[in-house]
Amino acid sequence: MIKTLLILLLPLQLFARQIYVSESGSDAAAGTSQATSWATISKVNTSSISGDTVNFNKGDTWYGTIIPASSSITFISYGAGANPVITGFTSVVVWTNLGGNIWEGTVSGGLATCNMVSINGVNTAMGRYPNFGSANDGYLVGQSGSNTTTIVNSTLTGTPNWTGAEILIRHQDWSSNRGTITGQATTTLTYSSTSSYAFSVNHGFFIQNAAATLDVQNEWYYYDASGTKKIQIYSTTSPTNVKVATLTTLVDMTYTSGTAK
């Protein structure tokens, strides 16, 4: 008698795991149930996960970058409450009063430059001169200049001296660019910029990211103090709930076909 052997081929997805991650978990745990959840993004990034679903606990927050190890991972949430948060913000909680309503704190793990600061849950602009809402919508008028290196405005006096600050120039109605002010001679600013557009007379500019710009509640200035990243904030009281962006990427989708939810 000839017997037939039937081989049942089951889809690989049937063997997919449910992985759980919560702030109260442990990276030494199995991670395959809510009771044995992992604790960190680092554990997720360094584990062999393929075809699985990673569940982040609602109401929890993690700092870091998710780097999927496979192109077939699904990220969802579980539990009750607010959606889980993956953040690149670092909190600044210790402040030194420098006087004149200026407060300074150290940013642990700060980036070379900073473009995003949240204060009391609100994304807050850095200090600028002129202030937003002043004449010309907060722009100085470039009255003359030389190609892409200098710009002149007669209201500038040299005090304060803006050397080291950033300049944002509207080269054309449709184009603006940031540069670094490398020197000032009374009404003339010298700057370096990567823009290919030359300065255009009567187009606007403003100055930002300098201590001298701070004169409005919660305006900030970020700088490097001999390798230590610092932030200064204008505030009538000690700043609270200040978070500074210290990551540039929250999800590194090396595997672009992966599923993120």
Side-chain angles (χ1 to χ4, degrees), residues 105 107-117 126 209-211 214 220-224 228-232 244-246:
V107 181
S108 177
L111 298 169
T113 59
C114 179
N115 294 313
M116 187 176 293
V117 172
M126 68 176 69
N209 206 40
L214 304 182
W220 55 271
Y221 156 55
Y222 181 89
Y223 72 106
D224 187 317
T228 301
K229 304 304 186 292
K230 300 281 189 178
I231 183 172
Q232 292 183 6
V244 179
T246 53

mmCIF file with all atom_site columns, all heavy atoms in Angstrom, residues 105 107-117 126 209-211 214 220-224 228-232 244-246:
data_model
loop_
_atom_site.group_PDB
_atom_site.id
_atom_site.type_symbol
_atom_site.label_atom_id
_atom_site.label_alt_id
_atom_site.label_comp_id
_atom_site.label_asym_id
_atom_site.label_entity_id
_atom_site.label_seq_id
_atom_site.pdbx_PDB_ins_code
_atom_site.Cartn_x
_atom_site.Cartn_y
_atom_site.Cartn_z
_atom_site.occupancy
_atom_site.B_iso_or_equiv
_atom_site.pdbx_formal_charge
_atom_site.auth_seq_id
_atom_site.auth_comp_id
_atom_site.auth_asym_id
_atom_site.auth_atom_id
_atom_site.pdbx_PDB_model_num
ATOM 1   N N   . GLY A 1 105 ? 20.198 77.086 32.045 1.00 0.00 ? 105 GLY A N   1
ATOM 2   C CA  . GLY A 1 105 ? 20.254 75.685 32.433 1.00 0.00 ? 105 GLY A CA  1
ATOM 3   C C   . GLY A 1 105 ? 21.153 74.909 31.494 1.00 0.00 ? 105 GLY A C   1
ATOM 4   O O   . GLY A 1 105 ? 21.463 75.348 30.385 1.00 0.00 ? 105 GLY A O   1
ATOM 5   N N   . VAL A 1 107 ? 21.852 71.549 29.174 1.00 0.00 ? 107 VAL A N   1
ATOM 6   C CA  . VAL A 1 107 ? 21.093 70.574 28.399 1.00 0.00 ? 107 VAL A CA  1
ATOM 7   C C   . VAL A 1 107 ? 21.922 69.300 28.280 1.00 0.00 ? 107 VAL A C   1
ATOM 8   O O   . VAL A 1 107 ? 22.905 69.246 27.538 1.00 0.00 ? 107 VAL A O   1
ATOM 9   C CB  . VAL A 1 107 ? 20.740 71.110 27.007 1.00 0.00 ? 107 VAL A CB  1
ATOM 10  C CG1 . VAL A 1 107 ? 19.914 70.075 26.236 1.00 0.00 ? 107 VAL A CG1 1
ATOM 11  C CG2 . VAL A 1 107 ? 19.988 72.427 27.116 1.00 0.00 ? 107 VAL A CG2 1
ATOM 12  N N   . SER A 1 108 ? 21.533 68.269 29.019 1.00 0.00 ? 108 SER A N   1
ATOM 13  C CA  . SER A 1 108 ? 22.253 67.006 28.983 1.00 0.00 ? 108 SER A CA  1
ATOM 14  C C   . SER A 1 108 ? 22.061 66.340 27.622 1.00 0.00 ? 108 SER A C   1
ATOM 15  O O   . SER A 1 108 ? 20.942 66.166 27.150 1.00 0.00 ? 108 SER A O   1
ATOM 16  C CB  . SER A 1 108 ? 21.731 66.087 30.086 1.00 0.00 ? 108 SER A CB  1
ATOM 17  O OG  . SER A 1 108 ? 22.358 64.824 30.047 1.00 0.00 ? 108 SER A OG  1
ATOM 18  N N   . GLY A 1 109 ? 23.176 65.971 26.986 1.00 0.00 ? 109 GLY A N   1
ATOM 19  C CA  . GLY A 1 109 ? 23.102 65.319 25.686 1.00 0.00 ? 109 GLY A CA  1
ATOM 20  C C   . GLY A 1 109 ? 22.663 66.236 24.565 1.00 0.00 ? 109 GLY A C   1
ATOM 21  O O   . GLY A 1 109 ? 22.157 65.770 23.540 1.00 0.00 ? 109 GLY A O   1
ATOM 22  N N   . GLY A 1 110 ? 22.872 67.540 24.729 1.00 0.00 ? 110 GLY A N   1
ATOM 23  C CA  . GLY A 1 110 ? 22.408 68.510 23.740 1.00 0.00 ? 110 GLY A CA  1
ATOM 24  C C   . GLY A 1 110 ? 23.087 68.361 22.391 1.00 0.00 ? 110 GLY A C   1
ATOM 25  O O   . GLY A 1 110 ? 24.243 67.942 22.286 1.00 0.00 ? 110 GLY A O   1
ATOM 26  N N   . LEU A 1 111 ? 22.347 68.701 21.338 1.00 0.00 ? 111 LEU A N   1
ATOM 27  C CA  . LEU A 1 111 ? 22.865 68.665 19.976 1.00 0.00 ? 111 LEU A CA  1
ATOM 28  C C   . LEU A 1 111 ? 23.734 69.894 19.705 1.00 0.00 ? 111 LEU A C   1
ATOM 29  O O   . LEU A 1 111 ? 23.758 70.834 20.493 1.00 0.00 ? 111 LEU A O   1
ATOM 30  C CB  . LEU A 1 111 ? 21.699 68.629 18.987 1.00 0.00 ? 111 LEU A CB  1
ATOM 31  C CG  . LEU A 1 111 ? 20.774 67.418 19.082 1.00 0.00 ? 111 LEU A CG  1
ATOM 32  C CD1 . LEU A 1 111 ? 19.522 67.651 18.231 1.00 0.00 ? 111 LEU A CD1 1
ATOM 33  C CD2 . LEU A 1 111 ? 21.489 66.155 18.645 1.00 0.00 ? 111 LEU A CD2 1
ATOM 34  N N   . ALA A 1 112 ? 24.417 69.876 18.577 1.00 0.00 ? 112 ALA A N   1
ATOM 35  C CA  . ALA A 1 112 ? 25.256 71.012 18.211 1.00 0.00 ? 112 ALA A CA  1
ATOM 36  C C   . ALA A 1 112 ? 24.421 72.270 18.027 1.00 0.00 ? 112 ALA A C   1
ATOM 37  O O   . ALA A 1 112 ? 24.836 73.376 18.385 1.00 0.00 ? 112 ALA A O   1
ATOM 38  C CB  . ALA A 1 112 ? 26.029 70.697 16.937 1.00 0.00 ? 112 ALA A CB  1
ATOM 39  N N   . THR A 1 113 ? 23.229 72.117 17.460 1.00 0.00 ? 113 THR A N   1
ATOM 40  C CA  . THR A 1 113 ? 22.298 73.227 17.307 1.00 0.00 ? 113 THR A CA  1
ATOM 41  C C   . THR A 1 113 ? 20.927 72.779 17.791 1.00 0.00 ? 113 THR A C   1
ATOM 42  O O   . THR A 1 113 ? 20.647 71.583 17.887 1.00 0.00 ? 113 THR A O   1
ATOM 43  C CB  . THR A 1 113 ? 22.191 73.682 15.838 1.00 0.00 ? 113 THR A CB  1
ATOM 44  O OG1 . THR A 1 113 ? 21.754 72.577 15.034 1.00 0.00 ? 113 THR A OG1 1
ATOM 45  C CG2 . THR A 1 113 ? 23.528 74.186 15.321 1.00 0.00 ? 113 THR A CG2 1
ATOM 46  N N   . CYS A 1 114 ? 20.065 73.728 18.082 1.00 0.00 ? 114 CYS A N   1
ATOM 47  C CA  . CYS A 1 114 ? 18.737 73.397 18.582 1.00 0.00 ? 114 CYS A CA  1
ATOM 48  C C   . CYS A 1 114 ? 17.694 74.228 17.847 1.00 0.00 ? 114 CYS A C   1
ATOM 49  O O   . CYS A 1 114 ? 17.840 75.446 17.713 1.00 0.00 ? 114 CYS A O   1
ATOM 50  C CB  . CYS A 1 114 ? 18.647 73.654 20.087 1.00 0.00 ? 114 CYS A CB  1
ATOM 51  S SG  . CYS A 1 114 ? 17.024 73.297 20.791 1.00 0.00 ? 114 CYS A SG  1
ATOM 52  N N   . ASN A 1 115 ? 16.638 73.557 17.374 1.00 0.00 ? 115 ASN A N   1
ATOM 53  C CA  . ASN A 1 115 ? 15.569 74.249 16.672 1.00 0.00 ? 115 ASN A CA  1
ATOM 54  C C   . ASN A 1 115 ? 14.220 74.100 17.354 1.00 0.00 ? 115 ASN A C   1
ATOM 55  O O   . ASN A 1 115 ? 13.229 74.671 16.875 1.00 0.00 ? 115 ASN A O   1
ATOM 56  C CB  . ASN A 1 115 ? 15.457 73.736 15.231 1.00 0.00 ? 115 ASN A CB  1
ATOM 57  C CG  . ASN A 1 115 ? 16.660 74.071 14.395 1.00 0.00 ? 115 ASN A CG  1
ATOM 58  O OD1 . ASN A 1 115 ? 17.125 75.199 14.401 1.00 0.00 ? 115 ASN A OD1 1
ATOM 59  N ND2 . ASN A 1 115 ? 17.195 73.086 13.687 1.00 0.00 ? 115 ASN A ND2 1
ATOM 60  N N   . MET A 1 116 ? 14.152 73.325 18.434 1.00 0.00 ? 116 MET A N   1
ATOM 61  C CA  . MET A 1 116 ? 12.851 73.076 19.039 1.00 0.00 ? 116 MET A CA  1
ATOM 62  C C   . MET A 1 116 ? 12.958 73.029 20.553 1.00 0.00 ? 116 MET A C   1
ATOM 63  O O   . MET A 1 116 ? 13.739 72.255 21.109 1.00 0.00 ? 116 MET A O   1
ATOM 64  C CB  . MET A 1 116 ? 12.253 71.764 18.526 1.00 0.00 ? 116 MET A CB  1
ATOM 65  C CG  . MET A 1 116 ? 10.825 71.513 18.980 1.00 0.00 ? 116 MET A CG  1
ATOM 66  S SD  . MET A 1 116 ? 10.114 69.995 18.263 1.00 0.00 ? 116 MET A SD  1
ATOM 67  C CE  . MET A 1 116 ? 10.038 70.473 16.535 1.00 0.00 ? 116 MET A CE  1
ATOM 68  N N   . VAL A 1 117 ? 12.168 73.866 21.215 1.00 0.00 ? 117 VAL A N   1
ATOM 69  C CA  . VAL A 1 117 ? 12.073 73.887 22.669 1.00 0.00 ? 117 VAL A CA  1
ATOM 70  C C   . VAL A 1 117 ? 10.594 73.947 23.036 1.00 0.00 ? 117 VAL A C   1
ATOM 71  O O   . VAL A 1 117 ? 9.846  74.764 22.483 1.00 0.00 ? 117 VAL A O   1
ATOM 72  C CB  . VAL A 1 117 ? 12.823 75.091 23.274 1.00 0.00 ? 117 VAL A CB  1
ATOM 73  C CG1 . VAL A 1 117 ? 12.545 75.211 24.769 1.00 0.00 ? 117 VAL A CG1 1
ATOM 74  C CG2 . VAL A 1 117 ? 14.321 74.970 23.015 1.00 0.00 ? 117 VAL A CG2 1
ATOM 75  N N   . MET A 1 126 ? 12.640 80.777 19.552 1.00 0.00 ? 126 MET A N   1
ATOM 76  C CA  . MET A 1 126 ? 13.830 81.386 20.147 1.00 0.00 ? 126 MET A CA  1
ATOM 77  C C   . MET A 1 126 ? 13.705 82.901 20.084 1.00 0.00 ? 126 MET A C   1
ATOM 78  O O   . MET A 1 126 ? 12.879 83.453 19.352 1.00 0.00 ? 126 MET A O   1
ATOM 79  C CB  . MET A 1 126 ? 15.098 80.908 19.426 1.00 0.00 ? 126 MET A CB  1
ATOM 80  C CG  . MET A 1 126 ? 15.246 81.377 18.010 1.00 0.00 ? 126 MET A CG  1
ATOM 81  S SD  . MET A 1 126 ? 16.838 80.866 17.248 1.00 0.00 ? 126 MET A SD  1
ATOM 82  C CE  . MET A 1 126 ? 16.613 79.103 17.096 1.00 0.00 ? 126 MET A CE  1
ATOM 83  N N   . ASN A 1 209 ? 18.887 83.758 18.072 1.00 0.00 ? 209 ASN A N   1
ATOM 84  C CA  . ASN A 1 209 ? 19.810 82.901 18.819 1.00 0.00 ? 209 ASN A CA  1
ATOM 85  C C   . ASN A 1 209 ? 21.006 83.673 19.371 1.00 0.00 ? 209 ASN A C   1
ATOM 86  O O   . ASN A 1 209 ? 22.161 83.356 19.116 1.00 0.00 ? 209 ASN A O   1
ATOM 87  C CB  . ASN A 1 209 ? 20.284 81.714 17.975 1.00 0.00 ? 209 ASN A CB  1
ATOM 88  C CG  . ASN A 1 209 ? 20.693 80.535 18.861 1.00 0.00 ? 209 ASN A CG  1
ATOM 89  O OD1 . ASN A 1 209 ? 20.031 80.250 19.861 1.00 0.00 ? 209 ASN A OD1 1
ATOM 90  N ND2 . ASN A 1 209 ? 21.769 79.863 18.516 1.00 0.00 ? 209 ASN A ND2 1
ATOM 91  N N   . ALA A 1 210 ? 20.676 84.688 20.145 1.00 0.00 ? 210 ALA A N   1
ATOM 92  C CA  . ALA A 1 210 ? 21.691 85.481 20.844 1.00 0.00 ? 210 ALA A CA  1
ATOM 93  C C   . ALA A 1 210 ? 21.090 85.933 22.166 1.00 0.00 ? 210 ALA A C   1
ATOM 94  O O   . ALA A 1 210 ? 19.886 86.193 22.257 1.00 0.00 ? 210 ALA A O   1
ATOM 95  C CB  . ALA A 1 210 ? 22.119 86.689 20.012 1.00 0.00 ? 210 ALA A CB  1
ATOM 96  N N   . ALA A 1 211 ? 21.921 86.036 23.185 1.00 0.00 ? 211 ALA A N   1
ATOM 97  C CA  . ALA A 1 211 ? 21.437 86.420 24.507 1.00 0.00 ? 211 ALA A CA  1
ATOM 98  C C   . ALA A 1 211 ? 20.753 87.782 24.478 1.00 0.00 ? 211 ALA A C   1
ATOM 99  O O   . ALA A 1 211 ? 19.762 88.015 25.183 1.00 0.00 ? 211 ALA A O   1
ATOM 100 C CB  . ALA A 1 211 ? 22.597 86.428 25.504 1.00 0.00 ? 211 ALA A CB  1
ATOM 101 N N   . LEU A 1 214 ? 16.795 88.314 24.100 1.00 0.00 ? 214 LEU A N   1
ATOM 102 C CA  . LEU A 1 214 ? 15.832 87.826 25.085 1.00 0.00 ? 214 LEU A CA  1
ATOM 103 C C   . LEU A 1 214 ? 15.181 88.972 25.850 1.00 0.00 ? 214 LEU A C   1
ATOM 104 O O   . LEU A 1 214 ? 15.793 89.583 26.727 1.00 0.00 ? 214 LEU A O   1
ATOM 105 C CB  . LEU A 1 214 ? 16.527 86.869 26.065 1.00 0.00 ? 214 LEU A CB  1
ATOM 106 C CG  . LEU A 1 214 ? 17.244 85.659 25.441 1.00 0.00 ? 214 LEU A CG  1
ATOM 107 C CD1 . LEU A 1 214 ? 17.839 84.769 26.535 1.00 0.00 ? 214 LEU A CD1 1
ATOM 108 C CD2 . LEU A 1 214 ? 16.310 84.864 24.553 1.00 0.00 ? 214 LEU A CD2 1
ATOM 109 N N   . TRP A 1 220 ? 14.061 82.012 24.096 1.00 0.00 ? 220 TRP A N   1
ATOM 110 C CA  . TRP A 1 220 ? 15.230 81.237 24.504 1.00 0.00 ? 220 TRP A CA  1
ATOM 111 C C   . TRP A 1 220 ? 16.401 81.425 23.549 1.00 0.00 ? 220 TRP A C   1
ATOM 112 O O   . TRP A 1 220 ? 16.245 81.847 22.414 1.00 0.00 ? 220 TRP A O   1
ATOM 113 C CB  . TRP A 1 220 ? 14.883 79.759 24.629 1.00 0.00 ? 220 TRP A CB  1
ATOM 114 C CG  . TRP A 1 220 ? 14.278 79.134 23.395 1.00 0.00 ? 220 TRP A CG  1
ATOM 115 C CD1 . TRP A 1 220 ? 12.953 79.077 23.074 1.00 0.00 ? 220 TRP A CD1 1
ATOM 116 C CD2 . TRP A 1 220 ? 14.976 78.485 22.320 1.00 0.00 ? 220 TRP A CD2 1
ATOM 117 N NE1 . TRP A 1 220 ? 12.772 78.438 21.870 1.00 0.00 ? 220 TRP A NE1 1
ATOM 118 C CE2 . TRP A 1 220 ? 13.992 78.057 21.390 1.00 0.00 ? 220 TRP A CE2 1
ATOM 119 C CE3 . TRP A 1 220 ? 16.315 78.211 22.066 1.00 0.00 ? 220 TRP A CE3 1
ATOM 120 C CZ2 . TRP A 1 220 ? 14.323 77.383 20.212 1.00 0.00 ? 220 TRP A CZ2 1
ATOM 121 C CZ3 . TRP A 1 220 ? 16.648 77.540 20.886 1.00 0.00 ? 220 TRP A CZ3 1
ATOM 122 C CH2 . TRP A 1 220 ? 15.656 77.128 19.983 1.00 0.00 ? 220 TRP A CH2 1
ATOM 123 N N   . TYR A 1 221 ? 17.576 81.073 24.089 1.00 0.00 ? 221 TYR A N   1
ATOM 124 C CA  . TYR A 1 221 ? 18.843 81.149 23.354 1.00 0.00 ? 221 TYR A CA  1
ATOM 125 C C   . TYR A 1 221 ? 19.650 79.911 23.718 1.00 0.00 ? 221 TYR A C   1
ATOM 126 O O   . TYR A 1 221 ? 19.811 79.592 24.893 1.00 0.00 ? 221 TYR A O   1
ATOM 127 C CB  . TYR A 1 221 ? 19.568 82.437 23.727 1.00 0.00 ? 221 TYR A CB  1
ATOM 128 C CG  . TYR A 1 221 ? 21.070 82.444 23.547 1.00 0.00 ? 221 TYR A CG  1
ATOM 129 C CD1 . TYR A 1 221 ? 21.658 82.141 22.320 1.00 0.00 ? 221 TYR A CD1 1
ATOM 130 C CD2 . TYR A 1 221 ? 21.919 82.791 24.603 1.00 0.00 ? 221 TYR A CD2 1
ATOM 131 C CE1 . TYR A 1 221 ? 23.043 82.165 22.161 1.00 0.00 ? 221 TYR A CE1 1
ATOM 132 C CE2 . TYR A 1 221 ? 23.292 82.831 24.454 1.00 0.00 ? 221 TYR A CE2 1
ATOM 133 C CZ  . TYR A 1 221 ? 23.848 82.506 23.236 1.00 0.00 ? 221 TYR A CZ  1
ATOM 134 O OH  . TYR A 1 221 ? 25.210 82.523 23.090 1.00 0.00 ? 221 TYR A OH  1
ATOM 135 N N   . TYR A 1 222 ? 20.160 79.205 22.719 1.00 0.00 ? 222 TYR A N   1
ATOM 136 C CA  . TYR A 1 222 ? 20.879 77.938 22.918 1.00 0.00 ? 222 TYR A CA  1
ATOM 137 C C   . TYR A 1 222 ? 22.312 78.104 22.430 1.00 0.00 ? 222 TYR A C   1
ATOM 138 O O   . TYR A 1 222 ? 22.543 78.629 21.336 1.00 0.00 ? 222 TYR A O   1
ATOM 139 C CB  . TYR A 1 222 ? 20.166 76.850 22.113 1.00 0.00 ? 222 TYR A CB  1
ATOM 140 C CG  . TYR A 1 222 ? 20.746 75.452 22.220 1.00 0.00 ? 222 TYR A CG  1
ATOM 141 C CD1 . TYR A 1 222 ? 20.324 74.586 23.215 1.00 0.00 ? 222 TYR A CD1 1
ATOM 142 C CD2 . TYR A 1 222 ? 21.672 74.985 21.291 1.00 0.00 ? 222 TYR A CD2 1
ATOM 143 C CE1 . TYR A 1 222 ? 20.819 73.285 23.292 1.00 0.00 ? 222 TYR A CE1 1
ATOM 144 C CE2 . TYR A 1 222 ? 22.180 73.703 21.364 1.00 0.00 ? 222 TYR A CE2 1
ATOM 145 C CZ  . TYR A 1 222 ? 21.747 72.858 22.367 1.00 0.00 ? 222 TYR A CZ  1
ATOM 146 O OH  . TYR A 1 222 ? 22.249 71.573 22.442 1.00 0.00 ? 222 TYR A OH  1
ATOM 147 N N   . TYR A 1 223 ? 23.270 77.660 23.238 1.00 0.00 ? 223 TYR A N   1
ATOM 148 C CA  . TYR A 1 223 ? 24.659 77.851 22.826 1.00 0.00 ? 223 TYR A CA  1
ATOM 149 C C   . TYR A 1 223 ? 25.565 76.790 23.448 1.00 0.00 ? 223 TYR A C   1
ATOM 150 O O   . TYR A 1 223 ? 25.179 76.044 24.344 1.00 0.00 ? 223 TYR A O   1
ATOM 151 C CB  . TYR A 1 223 ? 25.148 79.249 23.195 1.00 0.00 ? 223 TYR A CB  1
ATOM 152 C CG  . TYR A 1 223 ? 25.391 79.487 24.671 1.00 0.00 ? 223 TYR A CG  1
ATOM 153 C CD1 . TYR A 1 223 ? 26.683 79.567 25.183 1.00 0.00 ? 223 TYR A CD1 1
ATOM 154 C CD2 . TYR A 1 223 ? 24.327 79.649 25.563 1.00 0.00 ? 223 TYR A CD2 1
ATOM 155 C CE1 . TYR A 1 223 ? 26.911 79.793 26.533 1.00 0.00 ? 223 TYR A CE1 1
ATOM 156 C CE2 . TYR A 1 223 ? 24.549 79.886 26.906 1.00 0.00 ? 223 TYR A CE2 1
ATOM 157 C CZ  . TYR A 1 223 ? 25.844 79.946 27.385 1.00 0.00 ? 223 TYR A CZ  1
ATOM 158 O OH  . TYR A 1 223 ? 26.067 80.168 28.725 1.00 0.00 ? 223 TYR A OH  1
ATOM 159 N N   . ASP A 1 224 ? 26.786 76.730 22.922 1.00 0.00 ? 224 ASP A N   1
ATOM 160 C CA  . ASP A 1 224 ? 27.797 75.776 23.384 1.00 0.00 ? 224 ASP A CA  1
ATOM 161 C C   . ASP A 1 224 ? 28.794 76.518 24.264 1.00 0.00 ? 224 ASP A C   1
ATOM 162 O O   . ASP A 1 224 ? 29.461 77.451 23.813 1.00 0.00 ? 224 ASP A O   1
ATOM 163 C CB  . ASP A 1 224 ? 28.511 75.159 22.178 1.00 0.00 ? 224 ASP A CB  1
ATOM 164 C CG  . ASP A 1 224 ? 29.456 74.027 22.566 1.00 0.00 ? 224 ASP A CG  1
ATOM 165 O OD1 . ASP A 1 224 ? 30.191 74.177 23.560 1.00 0.00 ? 224 ASP A OD1 1
ATOM 166 O OD2 . ASP A 1 224 ? 29.470 72.996 21.872 1.00 0.00 ? 224 ASP A OD2 1
ATOM 167 N N   . THR A 1 228 ? 29.802 72.194 26.658 1.00 0.00 ? 228 THR A N   1
ATOM 168 C CA  . THR A 1 228 ? 28.577 71.976 27.427 1.00 0.00 ? 228 THR A CA  1
ATOM 169 C C   . THR A 1 228 ? 27.459 72.802 26.823 1.00 0.00 ? 228 THR A C   1
ATOM 170 O O   . THR A 1 228 ? 27.593 74.017 26.682 1.00 0.00 ? 228 THR A O   1
ATOM 171 C CB  . THR A 1 228 ? 28.773 72.368 28.902 1.00 0.00 ? 228 THR A CB  1
ATOM 172 O OG1 . THR A 1 228 ? 29.825 71.583 29.465 1.00 0.00 ? 228 THR A OG1 1
ATOM 173 C CG2 . THR A 1 228 ? 27.496 72.122 29.689 1.00 0.00 ? 228 THR A CG2 1
ATOM 174 N N   . LYS A 1 229 ? 26.363 72.130 26.467 1.00 0.00 ? 229 LYS A N   1
ATOM 175 C CA  . LYS A 1 229 ? 25.257 72.836 25.824 1.00 0.00 ? 229 LYS A CA  1
ATOM 176 C C   . LYS A 1 229 ? 24.407 73.531 26.882 1.00 0.00 ? 229 LYS A C   1
ATOM 177 O O   . LYS A 1 229 ? 24.016 72.939 27.878 1.00 0.00 ? 229 LYS A O   1
ATOM 178 C CB  . LYS A 1 229 ? 24.402 71.862 25.014 1.00 0.00 ? 229 LYS A CB  1
ATOM 179 C CG  . LYS A 1 229 ? 25.199 71.074 23.975 1.00 0.00 ? 229 LYS A CG  1
ATOM 180 C CD  . LYS A 1 229 ? 25.953 71.987 23.035 1.00 0.00 ? 229 LYS A CD  1
ATOM 181 C CE  . LYS A 1 229 ? 26.634 71.237 21.914 1.00 0.00 ? 229 LYS A CE  1
ATOM 182 N NZ  . LYS A 1 229 ? 27.749 70.381 22.379 1.00 0.00 ? 229 LYS A NZ  1
ATOM 183 N N   . LYS A 1 230 ? 24.121 74.826 26.645 1.00 0.00 ? 230 LYS A N   1
ATOM 184 C CA  . LYS A 1 230 ? 23.379 75.647 27.586 1.00 0.00 ? 230 LYS A CA  1
ATOM 185 C C   . LYS A 1 230 ? 22.164 76.257 26.904 1.00 0.00 ? 230 LYS A C   1
ATOM 186 O O   . LYS A 1 230 ? 22.146 76.490 25.693 1.00 0.00 ? 230 LYS A O   1
ATOM 187 C CB  . LYS A 1 230 ? 24.259 76.777 28.127 1.00 0.00 ? 230 LYS A CB  1
ATOM 188 C CG  . LYS A 1 230 ? 25.509 76.327 28.871 1.00 0.00 ? 230 LYS A CG  1
ATOM 189 C CD  . LYS A 1 230 ? 25.185 75.899 30.288 1.00 0.00 ? 230 LYS A CD  1
ATOM 190 C CE  . LYS A 1 230 ? 26.456 75.667 31.095 1.00 0.00 ? 230 LYS A CE  1
ATOM 191 N NZ  . LYS A 1 230 ? 26.148 75.298 32.503 1.00 0.00 ? 230 LYS A NZ  1
ATOM 192 N N   . ILE A 1 231 ? 21.153 76.545 27.694 1.00 0.00 ? 231 ILE A N   1
ATOM 193 C CA  . ILE A 1 231 ? 19.998 77.281 27.210 1.00 0.00 ? 231 ILE A CA  1
ATOM 194 C C   . ILE A 1 231 ? 19.697 78.403 28.188 1.00 0.00 ? 231 ILE A C   1
ATOM 195 O O   . ILE A 1 231 ? 19.761 78.223 29.403 1.00 0.00 ? 231 ILE A O   1
ATOM 196 C CB  . ILE A 1 231 ? 18.757 76.372 27.030 1.00 0.00 ? 231 ILE A CB  1
ATOM 197 C CG1 . ILE A 1 231 ? 17.583 77.174 26.445 1.00 0.00 ? 231 ILE A CG1 1
ATOM 198 C CG2 . ILE A 1 231 ? 18.363 75.692 28.334 1.00 0.00 ? 231 ILE A CG2 1
ATOM 199 C CD1 . ILE A 1 231 ? 16.395 76.318 26.051 1.00 0.00 ? 231 ILE A CD1 1
ATOM 200 N N   . GLN A 1 232 ? 19.433 79.591 27.645 1.00 0.00 ? 232 GLN A N   1
ATOM 201 C CA  . GLN A 1 232 ? 18.994 80.723 28.449 1.00 0.00 ? 232 GLN A CA  1
ATOM 202 C C   . GLN A 1 232 ? 17.558 81.057 28.065 1.00 0.00 ? 232 GLN A C   1
ATOM 203 O O   . GLN A 1 232 ? 17.195 81.003 26.884 1.00 0.00 ? 232 GLN A O   1
ATOM 204 C CB  . GLN A 1 232 ? 19.895 81.939 28.225 1.00 0.00 ? 232 GLN A CB  1
ATOM 205 C CG  . GLN A 1 232 ? 21.303 81.769 28.759 1.00 0.00 ? 232 GLN A CG  1
ATOM 206 C CD  . GLN A 1 232 ? 22.145 83.023 28.595 1.00 0.00 ? 232 GLN A CD  1
ATOM 207 O OE1 . GLN A 1 232 ? 21.658 84.071 28.181 1.00 0.00 ? 232 GLN A OE1 1
ATOM 208 N NE2 . GLN A 1 232 ? 23.428 82.923 28.922 1.00 0.00 ? 232 GLN A NE2 1
ATOM 209 N N   . VAL A 1 244 ? 13.972 70.290 25.799 1.00 0.00 ? 244 VAL A N   1
ATOM 210 C CA  . VAL A 1 244 ? 14.805 70.679 24.668 1.00 0.00 ? 244 VAL A CA  1
ATOM 211 C C   . VAL A 1 244 ? 15.025 69.458 23.774 1.00 0.00 ? 244 VAL A C   1
ATOM 212 O O   . VAL A 1 244 ? 15.331 68.365 24.266 1.00 0.00 ? 244 VAL A O   1
ATOM 213 C CB  . VAL A 1 244 ? 16.163 71.224 25.153 1.00 0.00 ? 244 VAL A CB  1
ATOM 214 C CG1 . VAL A 1 244 ? 17.045 71.608 23.972 1.00 0.00 ? 244 VAL A CG1 1
ATOM 215 C CG2 . VAL A 1 244 ? 15.951 72.423 26.079 1.00 0.00 ? 244 VAL A CG2 1
ATOM 216 N N   . ALA A 1 245 ? 14.866 69.632 22.462 1.00 0.00 ? 245 ALA A N   1
ATOM 217 C CA  . ALA A 1 245 ? 15.086 68.531 21.529 1.00 0.00 ? 245 ALA A CA  1
ATOM 218 C C   . ALA A 1 245 ? 16.558 68.132 21.516 1.00 0.00 ? 245 ALA A C   1
ATOM 219 O O   . ALA A 1 245 ? 17.426 68.961 21.251 1.00 0.00 ? 245 ALA A O   1
ATOM 220 C CB  . ALA A 1 245 ? 14.635 68.936 20.125 1.00 0.00 ? 245 ALA A CB  1
ATOM 221 N N   . THR A 1 246 ? 16.830 66.851 21.819 1.00 0.00 ? 246 THR A N   1
ATOM 222 C CA  . THR A 1 246 ? 18.204 66.353 21.823 1.00 0.00 ? 246 THR A CA  1
ATOM 223 C C   . THR A 1 246 ? 18.378 65.144 20.903 1.00 0.00 ? 246 THR A C   1
ATOM 224 O O   . THR A 1 246 ? 19.425 64.492 20.924 1.00 0.00 ? 246 THR A O   1
ATOM 225 C CB  . THR A 1 246 ? 18.639 65.988 23.249 1.00 0.00 ? 246 THR A CB  1
ATOM 226 O OG1 . THR A 1 246 ? 17.687 65.086 23.829 1.00 0.00 ? 246 THR A OG1 1
ATOM 227 C CG2 . THR A 1 246 ? 18.748 67.219 24.132 1.00 0.00 ? 246 THR A CG2 1
#
